[in-house]
Amino acid sequence: MVQRNFLSSFILIAALAGTGSCAAHAQLLEPGAPSQAPNPLTDSTVKPGKMQLYDLDARFAKDVAERGGAAFASWFADDGVELGNGVAPQIGKVAIVKSANWSPKDYQLTWTPTDAMMGPSGDMGYTWGHFEGRSKDANGNPVMTSGRYITMWRREPDGSWKVVLDAGANEPAAAGDCCKLPSQ
């Protein structure tokens, strides 16, 4: 069943991506390059579905900034999936609640969407963009991770929107960081 849900998610991503214009293919940007996505605040042609997804993503991010892991987990559907770098998938809201146990004073997770796409039926869509996680190591030194994310959204039978899949991939190591030897 897990493989089927995972496969269904990838099929959905492909289907949603196929519903956009050729601009969707221009989203593969070089690191540091400016986004090619339209700015919904200045572009009057942005469709309401995209605006709705931007709004959901912004409310999700604000809630997580204020309440931490408890807020992160609360946005997931009961059958939601969280995919993180180097860790086992968290499948189902119960597993996500158990893993999202950070306080916003110890770990700050922030993100900014680059683009969004609503599916043709208006009940599923996705946002994707850049995230940063900030914390401190055991010695109190700042630690920052950053990368890209995709969040898939689904309208529930009660009309609310929930996260059904959230996946993140850390940025690659900076040039030379992968091969440094410890100082002697």
Side-chain angles (χ1 to χ4, degrees), residues 71-159:
F72 183 79
S74 73
W75 282 80
F76 277 81
D78 290 340
D79 61 345
V81 176
E82 179 193 10
L83 303 174
N85 257 4
V87 296
Q90 301 301 314
I91 301 169
K93 190 168 186 170
V94 171
I96 295 166
V97 167
K98 286 181 185 177
S99 72
N101 57 7
W102 75 86
S103 162
K105 68 179 180 153
D106 298 323
Y107 178 68
Q108 299 84 43
L109 176 62
T110 59
W111 63 88
T112 305
T114 299
D115 204 1
M117 174 80 65
M118 181 69 77
S121 63
D123 61 356
M124 289 194 83
Y126 67 88
T127 54
W128 71 272
H130 183 264
F131 74 86
E132 289 186 355
R134 297 180 183 272
S135 61
K136 296 195 186 250
D137 66 14
N139 297 323
N141 299 314
V143 175
M144 200 256 310
T145 58
S146 65
R148 301 286 171 198
Y149 76 91
I150 183 168
T151 302
M152 296 183 60
W153 296 91
R154 177 180 68 207
R155 186 175 26 219
E156 299 294 287
D158 67 1

